[in-house]
Amino acid sequence: MEDTEPGKTERVAADGDQPPQGPAAPGNEGSPAGAGGRTKKKGRLRRTRRIALAVLLILLVPLLAAETALRINYTGDPAAGTTTRDRDAIWLGHAWVDGRKKDADLTALARELKTTGIRDLYVHTGPMEHDGTLPESLYPRARWLIDAVHRELPGVRVQAFLGDVLATESPDGMRLEKAATRAAVVDSARQVLDAGYDGVHLDLEPLHSGDDDYLSLLDDVRAVTRAHDAQLSVAAHQIDPLPGFHSFWGTVAGHPKWWSQEYFGRVARRVDQIAVMSYDTMQPLESLYGGYVAQQTSLALEVTPPTTHLLMGLPFYHENRFGHWNRAETVAAAVRGVRLGLSRTDADRERFGVAAYIDFAATEEDWTSYRDGWVG
């Protein structure tokens, strides 16, 4: 028991008397010196608990406030007319250009897309090598796909989706700080445009906010796409949900994840299309995810010039892992969030749409949620 001095027996003698107690041995906790040590230990424990509680509150209070704001952001009704502008896009897997897809697959895709607002196909054509080069052997059926899409879906563009892992958080990957690597990426862009693609779609990750080498690369690639009368589009990181959050998260987790709003705007001014990867958000509830997408839509609209086509990503895939909860990140929640953000920020924006990721993981429910919520 707490109030029994250590060193003394708790057993009562058979005759009801306590057995005689001898003097406490030197250093015994029952001595005055031992009691003082115990008091100090309890004091340290109380201070440790208070500090832990304070740290927990410092972390939890802002988080709860932010999540509450996201939930509120998901309320209300979207404005009339905040639906497709027939400027949507979809990411397609590599099977469309490596020989696995056939004419019947293209016929089915065309039938699916004719009842949507999708006008751009980002077809996985890479990945590029870490030195920026692109083996032509990766896309032997590209010409077949491009010709078939142009025939079956007039007005729909086929863009070469070129990506790679950057060596920003590990020793392996593409290094944009090397001028030779950037020059090779530019040559790869020219290579796919010469093959007949209608544009180049770059997806380089993880790309840290403020990377000037990436901006230099975009300037050089855009010179090539303009010379070919083609599109330059990029997959973009999410924007800081709180000012400077990418710096905080980079310090805590070693992965900044977000871009500053200012850097997002610098990227948006250099491209024809910018598609926000507004999924993998760590949000645990559908309402919080929808509110997050509404916030991201507003933040992106604020810094994307009206001459640049802005697209918000829709999660046409299904995983349960840290960062992505399938029950929360639904197409229905994303579409509603997009409409709310568009309604509050720039309801009449013409160059605006959504981009679905990715075709081979999409379910009929995903397509229905997109059509019912966005196409109308």
Side-chain angles (χ1 to χ4, degrees):
M1 296 177 65
E2 286 292 330
D3 56 354
T4 301
E5 290 186 28
K8 292 186 179 180
T9 180
E10 296 181 42
R11 182 177 58 83
V12 179
D15 60 0
D17 295 329
Q18 290 283 358
Q21 304 296 321
N28 189 291
E29 291 185 6
S31 67
R38 183 180 177 85
T39 300
K40 290 180 179 178
K41 185 177 180 181
K42 286 184 175 180
R44 286 196 298 270
L45 182 59
R46 284 194 295 269
R47 285 194 295 273
T48 300
R49 287 173 176 171
R50 285 197 294 267
I51 291 172
L53 179 60
V55 171
L56 186 62
L57 289 174
I58 289 172
L59 294 175
L60 283 182
V61 169
L63 176 62
L64 291 174
E67 295 294 84
T68 300
L70 292 182
R71 179 63 185 88
I72 294 172
N73 212 30
Y74 195 57
T75 61
D77 296 319
T82 52
T83 52
T84 188
R85 279 87 165 113
D86 290 329
R87 292 178 177 271
D88 303 330
I90 187 170
W91 282 276
L92 300 182
H94 199 83
W96 288 100
V97 294
D98 67 3
R100 283 175 285 169
K101 294 291 188 180
K102 307 300 180 184
D103 290 345
D105 299 304
L106 194 282
T107 299
L109 178 67
R111 184 168 56 247
E112 190 83 78
L113 297 185
K114 282 178 179 177
T115 57
T116 72
I118 292 173
R119 297 295 179 269
D120 282 284
L121 310 180
Y122 303 143
V123 185
H124 191 267
T125 306
M128 292 179 286
E129 300 293 326
H130 291 340
D131 64 1
T133 59
L134 178 69
E136 292 186 8
S137 59
L138 290 177
Y139 53 98
R141 292 273 282 170
R143 188 75 252 183
W144 163 79
L145 175 66
I146 295 165
D147 290 344
V149 169
H150 290 170
R151 181 181 65 251
E152 300 294 331
L153 295 165
V156 173
R157 293 177 294 209
V158 183
Q159 300 194 41
F161 168 10
L162 304 180
D164 193 23
V165 175
L166 297 178
T168 51
E169 297 173 15
S170 72
D172 297 321
M174 181 182 289
R175 297 184 178 276
L176 292 182
E177 67 272 20
K178 294 184 177 181
T181 299
R182 298 196 304 274
V185 173
V186 174
D187 286 341
S188 294
R190 185 179 294 108
Q191 178 180 315
V192 294
L193 293 176
D194 289 341
Y197 281 96
D198 300 307
V200 175
H201 179 79
L202 293 179
D203 179 18
L204 303 174
E205 303 177 48
L207 182 64
H208 293 180
S209 184
D211 190 324
D212 287 332
D213 292 320
Y214 180 63
L215 300 182
S216 176
L217 173 65
L218 294 181
D219 290 339
D220 293 341
V221 174
R222 196 174 194 187
V224 172
T225 56
R226 282 180 167 173
H228 284 74
D229 193 24
Q231 296 286 295
L232 171 58
S233 60
V234 295
H237 288 243
Q238 298 157 30
I239 300 173
D240 281 334
L242 298 171
F245 199 68
H246 69 279
S247 296
F248 166 76
W249 197 254
T251 301
V252 171
H255 171 51
K257 183 176 173 66
W258 293 271
W259 287 350
S260 72
Q261 190 183 34
E262 184 270 340
Y263 186 70
F264 186 97
R266 293 175 70 189
V267 173
R269 289 191 292 273
R270 287 172 162 81
V271 298
D272 300 298
Q273 299 178 337
I274 185 166
V276 184
M277 296 180 285
S278 41
Y279 34 76
D280 294 346
T281 65
M282 297 184 284
Q283 297 303 320
L285 300 175
E286 196 173 21
S287 59
L288 298 179
Y289 173 61
Y292 183 91
V293 173
Q295 181 200 46
Q296 288 292 307
T297 302
S298 293
L299 291 171
L301 283 166
E302 288 171 358
V303 292
T304 300
T307 52
T308 299
H309 180 185
L310 172 64
L311 301 107
M312 302 303 298
L314 303 181
F316 272 43
Y317 65 101
H318 305 273
E319 298 177 358
N320 278 304
R321 53 177 169 75
F322 179 74
H324 182 98
W325 299 106
N326 190 51
R327 66 176 182 271
E329 298 199 13
T330 66
V331 174
V335 166
R336 177 173 164 77
V338 167
R339 294 189 64 196
L340 287 169
L342 182 62
S343 300
R344 294 164 183 157
T345 312
D346 192 354
D348 297 324
R349 176 73 66 114
E350 180 183 352
R351 295 180 181 274
F352 184 86
V354 296
Y357 183 87
I358 187 167
D359 71 306
F360 57 77
T363 65
E364 192 55 43
E365 182 180 359
D366 295 329
W367 284 107
T368 299
S369 295
Y370 160 69
R371 289 191 181 92
D372 291 351
W374 182 246
V375 180

